[in-house]
Structures are given as C-alpha cells and as structure tokens.
Amino acid sequence: MTVQIDRDRNYSTLSLVSPIPPPEDIRLDRAIRLGVMASGSGTNFEALAQAIDNRELNAQIPVLIYNNPEAKVKEKAKKWNVPAILLDHRIYKRREDLDRVIIEVFQQNQVEWIVMAGWMRIITSVLLDAFPNRVINIHPSLLPSFKGVRAIEQALESKVKITGCTVHLASLEVDSGPIIMQAAVPILPNDTPETLHARIQIQEHKIFPIAIALAAKQFGFQ
Amino acid sequence: MTVQIDRDRNYSTLSLVSPIPPPEDIRLDRAIRLGVMASGSGTNFEALAQAIDNRELNAQIPVLIYNNPEAKVKEKAKKWNVPAILLDHRIYKRREDLDRVIIEVFQQNQVEWIVMAGWMRIITSVLLDAFPNRVINIHPSLLPSFKGVRAIEQALESKVKITGCTVHLASLEVDSGPIIMQAAVPILPNDTPETLHARIQIQEHKIFPIAIALAAKQFGFQ
C-alpha cells in the first residue's frame, strides 16, 4: 500500500492521493470491457484510452456513448478509434427510456463495466439494476462535500482551502455510492474555476484508471 | 505562498496542507493574548504553548478555561505555567450563563482572541458578540464534511479515503465559520478511530499556531 504525493514548482500537480495497493494486487488478468459515457470534452475518456494504450490499465473500450451532438469527446473517440454513439437525451420522454437504450448498446457490445466520464445526465435504477455494482463515476470534489453540479464553483464559493476529486460506484442518490479513490489538491488564493478545474483534472486523469482496476478487483469478478 | 507536503516512511505525518503565506507575511508585531478553552487532553493547547515557546507564534496565553474537572488539560496548563480556571458547565442553567462567565474571565485577563482547542460545549451569540470574529475553532475533518461530534468516526463510517482537519472562525452554526487553514491526510485500510485520530492530531498541532497568526493578520487588528 503506497500513498502518493506529487509536487512541482508551480503546484499544478501537487496532490495527496488516497492509498494505492501494490501494482501486482490491482493487475487485471484479462482486458475488462468498459462502456464509457461522456457529455463534454472527453479528457477523462482520453486519459483512460491513454492508460490502456500505455498498458497501465488492462481494458478495452468497445463503445462510447455521448448525449450532446456538440460534445468534443466525439473527436477524441475518433482519434482513439473507439466507436462513438450519440444518444441525444432530448428525444427520450423519460430518463428510463434513455437508460434502456444505453443498456441495449452496452449489452450488444459485451460491456462489463460502465464508466461515467463526465456524464451530465441523472441515471435511473433501470441502468443500475442492469449493471449492479458495475457503474463507476468520477466527481470533481472530495465527496461527501459538494455533490451535484458546479462542484468546483461550490468549493470556491464555500472558501474551503482543500478540494479534490472522487471515483466511486454510482448509486441512485447522486454522487453518493461507495468511494474507490480520492485525491486532494490545494485551493490557491487567486484560483478561478478554470485554474482549479485544471488542477483537479490532472488528478482525475491520474486516479481514474487506477480506481477502475481497483474496483474491478474489489467489487468485480476478476 | 507555499504549499506543504510532509511524508515519512510509515505515513504518520503524510499530509497536504493548504497554502501558507511567506513567514514574513504572518509574523505578528506584538504578542497577541489568547484565551484558550479546552475540554479534553489538551494536546492542542500544548501545541500552542510549545509554538509560543519556540517563538513560532508571537502570543501569550494569560488564562485557560476548562469545563470538565477530570480534563487532563489542567495538568498541561500547570506544566506550562498557564493559570487554568474550571468553569463546570453543569452548574449553569443556560448556555448563555456559562458564556457570560467566560467573557468575564477573558476580559479581566485582557484576552484578545479566544481559541477553542477541543472545547466540547456549544457556544452562543453572547460569546460571539463579545468577541466578534475573534473566536477560533479547530475541527478534526475537512469541513464542510463531517461537522459536529464524532467527526473521525463519521469519516471512517462513510468510507472516504481522505479526511483531515480545519481551523476556522467560530460562528453560531456549529463548525461552519470562515475557514482559515486545512490539512488533508489519507485514511489507511486498517485505520481505527485511534490511529486516524493520531494522524489528524499531528496535522492539527502543525496548522493551529500558523492559522492563529494568519487569522490575526487577516481578520485582526495587527
């Protein structure tokens, strides 16, 4: 078990990362199949694709689902040769209807784990029941502080001095399932939402692949 | 502005401490007079007394108030030659009555800042109005997570992976006033309330004197 500290001169990567088991304890015996869901720029998706490419995470991403036609994650998926499917949430009357199509897409692609990499829609029990303990979420705060939208703005407004990010299993209550990993970063006096977001993202990209392997070991069938 | 990282081999002092201004920016021009309130073992009181003795904090403690006849802080006060006054909360009918006596003791001793160093009683607006923005509290969690009693047990039960401590100005709502400093520590897999408390206490003793100087500079009349 190691606990990681990173620092550099301008503090952009300064962090405290929660304990990580030795690499041999979280090495996956075979490539797990991840279905990724994203709504935005896709930096977390790309961090996973990169970690897989670097053989740091034994996984494959057979399919990515995005809900916003303008989402830049679409281009990142193309770059990494991951098939990207648009499921525009606006054409579904109820959240459950969208979730049923997501399940259909993921099951057809033999997805084992769902990874919400900046998915900005609320999921329902329909999706969670189809993938019990198999939906992983990443959130830009040290949960249980600052759940929900605008987590980074919430942290700045509340004037805390330390915030971070959390990878956890999704549950029906938003941003509340069992925590897998966390990383803490300082809030600096002149931080804006943008500078703080950038600092947190560096940690997200670092812990997300490790946390997925950890979850596959802890909660999974490996 | 520096951000501190400490680590040692067994992780007992591993932490991420929120930004600290350069020493010259928080050096106090004269010794501020601190009235300390404590209910327990007095380790935070002793950390302050030690920091004053080491000339790390330009302050004096003319008087300590404790509310529990058995509190070990009484012995620590004796060791550091600080007059300790027992105000047993059980003899006061209302919280406000106790607060009025506390004010009387502190005003007679020309106290400028009140420092709650593990004071386990709820204070009222009577005390806050007499020392506006002059009451400092320390709490063993990364606020706003885990307010109130049993903060360390709350963190363990919620299975977060990172917790810490917070120094803040007291307000009427418990554990909610403006934050001055925070320090984050990892929760390790085999932690008990005792081992986690010990890890947090090391950080409390480190940030408390710095945060008091910072508060005196930021909110004070220095």
Side-chain angles (χ1 to χ4, degrees), chain A residues 39-50:
Chain A
S39 303
S41 63
T43 62
N44 271 315
F45 160 76
E46 184 155 42
L48 293 181
Q50 187 70 65

Side-chain angles (χ1 to χ4, degrees), chain A residues 3 5 14 145 161-162 182, chain B residues 3 5 14 145 161 182:
Chain A
V3 183
I5 288 286
L14 179 73
S145 289
K161 305 297 185 187
I162 290 176
Q182 296 186 299
Chain B
V3 183
I5 287 285
L14 180 73
S145 289
K161 307 296 186 188
Q182 295 187 299

Side-chain angles (χ1 to χ4, degrees), chain B residues 36 38 40-47 49 61-66 71-86:
Chain B
V36 177
S41 63
T43 62
N44 271 316
F45 160 75
E46 183 154 44
I61 304 176
V63 62
L64 169 108
I65 289 173
Y66 63 109
K72 292 209 176 123
V73 69
K74 177 179 48 174
E75 294 148 33
K76 297 225 168 68
K78 196 168 178 188
K79 172 181 162 193
W80 288 92
N81 286 318
V82 170
I85 295 177
L86 172 65

Side-chain angles (χ1 to χ4, degrees), chain B residues 60 75 160 220:
Chain B
Q60 46 186 302
E75 294 148 33
V160 294

Side-chain angles (χ1 to χ4, degrees), chain A residues 1-7 11 14-19 142-146 158-163 179-189 218, chain B residues 1-7 11 14-19 142-146 158-163 179-189 218:
Chain A
M1 186 68 63
T2 62
V3 183
Q4 237 178 281
I5 288 286
D6 278 352
R7 78 177 301 170
Y11 304 119
L14 179 73
S15 70
L16 172 69
V17 174
S18 64
L142 284 178
L143 293 174
S145 289
F146 313 128
S158 78
K159 298 196 190 298
V160 294
K161 305 297 185 187
I162 290 176
T163 185
I179 291 173
I180 302 161
M181 277 186 78
Q182 296 186 299
V185 303
I187 296 187
L188 301 181
Q218 276 189 349
Chain B
M1 185 69 62
T2 61
V3 183
Q4 236 179 280
I5 287 285
D6 277 354
R7 79 179 300 171
Y11 304 121
L14 180 73
S15 69
L16 171 69
V17 174
S18 63
L142 285 177
L143 292 173
S145 289
F146 313 128
S158 77
K159 297 194 190 299
V160 294
K161 307 296 186 188
I162 290 175
T163 186
I179 291 173
I180 303 161
M181 277 187 78
Q182 295 187 299
V185 302
I187 296 187
L188 301 181
Q218 277 190 350

Side-chain angles (χ1 to χ4, degrees), chain A residues 21-168:
Chain A
E24 60 273 20
D25 286 3
I26 52 172
R27 195 166 292 136
L28 302 178
D29 306 326
R30 61 174 182 76
I32 56 173
R33 293 175 68 84
L34 306 176
V36 176
M37 295 161 65
S39 303
S41 63
T43 62
N44 271 315
F45 160 76
E46 184 155 42
L48 293 181
Q50 187 70 65
I52 292 169
D53 198 54
N54 295 348
R55 297 176 182 274
E56 292 160 14
L57 174 63
N58 193 1
Q60 45 186 302
I61 304 176
V63 62
L64 170 109
I65 289 173
Y66 64 108
N67 66 306
N68 168 5
E70 309 301 321
K72 292 209 174 120
V73 68
K74 179 178 50 175
E75 294 149 32
K76 297 225 168 68
K78 198 171 176 184
K79 172 180 162 194
W80 288 92
N81 287 316
V82 170
I85 295 177
L86 172 65
L87 294 180
D88 191 329
H89 60 276
R90 289 166 296 190
I91 71 169
Y92 300 94
K93 224 187 219 162
R94 306 184 322 136
R95 296 186 196 282
E96 287 79 1
D97 299 337
L98 171 58
D99 281 3
R100 280 190 197 94
V101 185
I102 293 172
I103 293 168
E104 181 68 21
V105 169
F106 281 162
Q107 286 181 342
Q108 286 196 10
N109 286 278
Q110 286 92 50
V111 160
E112 297 168 296
W113 288 83
I114 297 178
V115 177
M116 297 166 71
W119 178 257
M120 300 304 286
R121 308 297 304 167
I122 289 172
I123 60 171
T124 73
S125 60
V126 170
L127 186 59
L128 289 171
D129 290 348
F131 287 85
N133 284 334
R134 291 281 188 287
V135 184
I136 297 175
N137 186 41
I138 189 159
H139 183 78
S141 79
L142 284 178
L143 293 174
S145 289
F146 313 128
K147 297 178 181 183
V149 295
R150 301 182 70 258
I152 289 159
E153 289 82 357
Q154 286 182 58
L156 282 172
E157 287 157 13
S158 78
K159 298 196 190 298
V160 294
K161 305 297 185 187
I162 290 176
T163 185
C165 55
T166 302
V167 181
H168 65 98

